[in-house]
């Protein structure tokens, strides 16, 4: 049966659309895997000696790794949630065949584990453990510690899946990580002094590795149980009916011909789970500066960090919502193309909703008045640039991102494609690095105000040339029209 599932997966992949783009993504993915693999390998072979030479006064290298392992787990969870693409499956045809549901679930849960995220850490863990044993540390203790570390990595994989399945797990992860971040940020006490013992105790008492194995087993059982419990044909075919609320939104009538499009987008945000989650994530970006900004010894903040934070604070909505145009309309895109709707009006309305969202994000500059006035000015400058330049780049990239969006759910291992994947990230890179590059060009000419003026000026100029830009983007959307319709139909 497993061979049959593998055969069906190969057929599905061979029939997928946009093979050229997928080939490019595979090349970039393997370049990243090789790069980070070599990086982990070098760190694994030299990390022990580097920690010893640093003389941190925190004990042995194993104790140091154990102490800061919690930070790595937080970063690992964030990277998995944003970048890891979980496999998808069309399971409706399988449910009418005499296949036990448990076998279907076990296969796809097992195939989801085949990911670089789950194996690349071994390039650090194994060399580090070997060096530790060569240096005279307890062989049994190091082996147990090494296994516990890797079990943590495996557990994060299934926690990532559970986050998509159980709202309570998502809330629990956010609360735990949020509390740890708040404790460290406000320096209430050093939580790593306590979390260190969670991992280092396995070195001292190797039998405790069974506890980590038990946690992983529990995560696997919860994941399998969820999908077996919810994998019924009735649930897949059932249309969820909710009581609709009418919102006239007359305040949008001032936008003329674009008012109806803007109202539809706002209804989409208020009525659909995926869109609401995306907007919530963009709101969280407004507080990004409080998480990563740390004053230097002189009391100020590094210029690069300020411009970096300013982009994410002002561009959260642009990235989270704008990058899925026209995927938000994938469920009725074919019908929309039969209506008397011009691409220019459609694209202009999307740009307007992005501009409105960016404008609201710019108000977050008020939060940072007591942190740094330079950051406040940069948030405003980046906001103007995002509206005048990056808004066009988002719409241009959308012509090539033909991934349908399931509006009824967040990403799901058995249903929807991963929302934030490598393809989205590659097209997002110009939006991030372009304002940084332009700012530094102005900065080199006339300092801070030179960068501020150049960013703001280019953004304003971009707004004046919107007719020419939309004409070019409209041409691309027309060229990609039928391939986009075909991609949305094949979801």
């Amino acid at each position: 049966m497993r061979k049959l599932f593998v055969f069906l997966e190969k057929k599905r992949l061979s029939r997928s659309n946009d093979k050229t783009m997928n080939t490019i993504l595979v090349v970039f993915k393997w370049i990243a895997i090789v790069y980070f693999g070599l990086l982990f390998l070098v760190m694994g072979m030299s990390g022990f000696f580097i920690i010893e030479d640093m003389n941190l006064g925190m004990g042995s290298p194993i104790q140091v790794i154990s102490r800061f392992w919690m930070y790595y787990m937080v970063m690992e969870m964030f990277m998995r949630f944003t970048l890891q693409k979980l496999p998808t499956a069309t399971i409706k045809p399988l449910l009418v065949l005499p296949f036990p549901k448990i076998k279907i679930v076990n296969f796809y849960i097992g195939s989801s584990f085949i990911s670089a995220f789950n194996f690349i850490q071994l390039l650090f863990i194994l060399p580090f453990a070997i060096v530790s044993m060569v240096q005279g540390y307890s062989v049994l203790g190091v082996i147990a510690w090494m296994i516990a570390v890797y079990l943590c990595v495996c557990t994060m994989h299934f926690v990532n899946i559970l986050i998509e399945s159980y709202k309570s797990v998502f809330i629990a992860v956010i609360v735990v990580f949020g509390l740890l971040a708040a404790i460290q940020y406000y320096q209430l006490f050093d939580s790593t002094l306590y979390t260190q013992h969670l991992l280092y105790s396995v070195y001292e008492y190797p039998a405790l590795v069974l506890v980590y194995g038990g946690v992983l087993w529990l995560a696997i059982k919860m994941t399998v149980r969820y999908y077996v419990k919810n994998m019924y044909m009735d649930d897949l075919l059932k249309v969820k009916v909710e009581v609709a609320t009418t919102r006239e939104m007359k305040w949008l009538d001032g936008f003329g011909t674009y008012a109806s499009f803007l109202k539809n987008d706002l209804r989409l945000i208020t009525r659909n789970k995926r869109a609401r989650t995306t907007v919530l994530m963009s709101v969280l970006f407004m507080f990004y500066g409080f998480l990563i900004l740390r004053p230097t010894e002189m009391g100020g903040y590094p210029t690069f960090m300020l411009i970096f934070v300013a982009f994410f604070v002002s561009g959260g909505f642009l990235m989270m919502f704008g990058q899925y145009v026209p995927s938000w309309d994938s469920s009725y895109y074919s019908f929309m193309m039969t209506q008397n709707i011009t691409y220019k009006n459609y694209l202009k309305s999307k740009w307007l909703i992005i501009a409105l969202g960016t404008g609201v994000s710019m108000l977050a500059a008020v939060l940072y008045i007591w942190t740094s006035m330079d950051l406040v000015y940069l948030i405003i400058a980046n906001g103007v640039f995002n509206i005048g330049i990056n808004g066009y780049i988002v719409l241009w990239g959308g012509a090539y991102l033909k991934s349908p969006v399931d509006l009824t759910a967040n990403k799901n291992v058995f249903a929807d494609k991963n929302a934030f994947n490598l393809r989205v990230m590659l097209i997002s890179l110009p939006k991030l690095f372009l304002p940084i590059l332009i700012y530094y060009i102005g900065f080199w000419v006339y300092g801070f105000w030179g960068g501020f003026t150049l960013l703001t000026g280019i953004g304003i100029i971009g707004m004046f040339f919107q007719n020419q830009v939309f004409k070019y983007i409209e041409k691309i959307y027309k060229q990609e029209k039928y391939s986009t319709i075909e991609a949305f139909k094949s979801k």
Side-chain angles (χ1 to χ4, degrees), residues 268-279:
L268 174 123
I269 292 171
T270 57
R271 293 177 181 177
N272 296 286
K273 185 177 181 181
R274 168 66 71 81
R276 288 198 302 269
T277 303
T278 301
V279 173

Side-chain angles (χ1 to χ4, degrees), residues 50-101:
I50 291 174
I51 294 172
E52 276 196 335
D53 293 340
M54 292 174 68
N55 195 21
L56 298 173
M58 299 179 182
S60 67
I62 294 179
Q63 286 177 297
V64 173
I65 295 294
S66 300
R67 181 168 182 173
F68 295 103
W69 185 247
M70 184 61 67
Y71 286 134
Y72 179 78
M73 284 290 95
V74 173
M75 184 176 67
E76 168 97 358
M77 192 70 258
F78 176 77
M79 295 295 288
R80 285 180 182 274
F81 185 76
T82 55
L83 295 178
Q84 185 178 9
K85 182 164 184 172
L86 301 176
T88 59
T90 305
I91 62 171
K92 290 179 185 178
L94 300 178
L95 293 181
V96 299
L97 298 174
F99 296 152
K101 290 194 293 293

Side-chain angles (χ1 to χ4, degrees), residues 317-462:
F317 184 81
L318 174 125
M319 290 187 299
M320 300 304 297
F321 182 85
Q323 68 186 2
Y324 299 123
V325 175
S327 296
W328 291 120
D329 307 310
S330 59
S331 58
Y332 52 87
Y333 195 80
S334 301
F335 172 75
M336 190 170 61
M337 291 297 102
T338 64
Q339 305 302 302
N340 186 24
I341 296 173
T342 64
Y343 262 122
K344 182 179 179 181
N345 287 345
Y346 174 76
L347 294 171
K348 185 67 177 290
S349 68
K350 297 298 182 183
W351 179 79
L352 285 172
I353 196 70
I354 290 172
L356 287 171
T358 304
V360 173
S361 299
M362 289 167 65
L363 296 177
V366 177
L367 300 172
Y368 297 96
I369 288 178
W370 293 275
T371 301
S372 171
M373 282 305 298
D374 287 350
L375 178 58
V376 172
Y377 295 133
L378 286 175
I379 291 173
I380 296 172
N382 268 273
V384 175
F385 184 86
N386 285 334
I387 294 173
I389 300 297
N390 277 340
Y392 305 141
I393 295 176
V394 164
L395 296 177
W396 166 74
Y400 303 102
L401 294 176
K402 304 179 179 73
S403 297
V405 170
D406 180 6
L407 294 175
T408 62
N410 294 319
K411 57 182 182 171
N412 187 305
V413 68
F414 288 148
D416 196 15
K417 293 185 177 180
N418 198 343
F420 192 93
N421 52 45
L422 182 61
R423 181 182 302 184
V424 172
M425 186 183 71
L426 289 176
I427 294 183
S428 298
L429 289 179
K431 300 195 292 285
L432 171 60
F433 290 108
L434 194 58
I436 294 176
L437 177 63
I438 290 174
Y439 170 79
Y440 271 105
I441 292 174
F443 184 82
W444 289 329
V445 174
Y446 198 71
F448 173 83
W449 291 110
F452 171 84
T453 303
L454 190 60
L455 262 180
T456 308
I458 291 178
I460 293 174
I461 292 171

Side-chain angles (χ1 to χ4, degrees), residues 37-50:
L38 292 173
L39 186 63
F40 273 75
L41 184 62
V42 171
M43 290 171 59
M45 292 187 294
S46 60
F48 185 95
F49 304 106
I50 291 174

Side-chain angles (χ1 to χ4, degrees), residues 276-321:
R276 288 198 302 269
T277 303
T278 301
V279 173
L280 174 61
M281 294 296 292
S282 67
V283 171
L284 294 177
F285 269 112
M286 295 182 184
F287 304 94
Y288 185 66
F290 295 114
L291 295 177
I292 71 168
L293 278 181
R294 294 294 183 274
T296 62
E297 294 180 357
M298 304 297 293
Y301 297 94
T303 302
F304 177 80
M305 291 304 299
L306 289 178
I307 186 67
F308 189 77
V309 168
F311 170 79
F312 280 99
V313 171
S314 64
F317 184 81
L318 174 125
M319 290 187 299
M320 300 304 297
F321 182 85

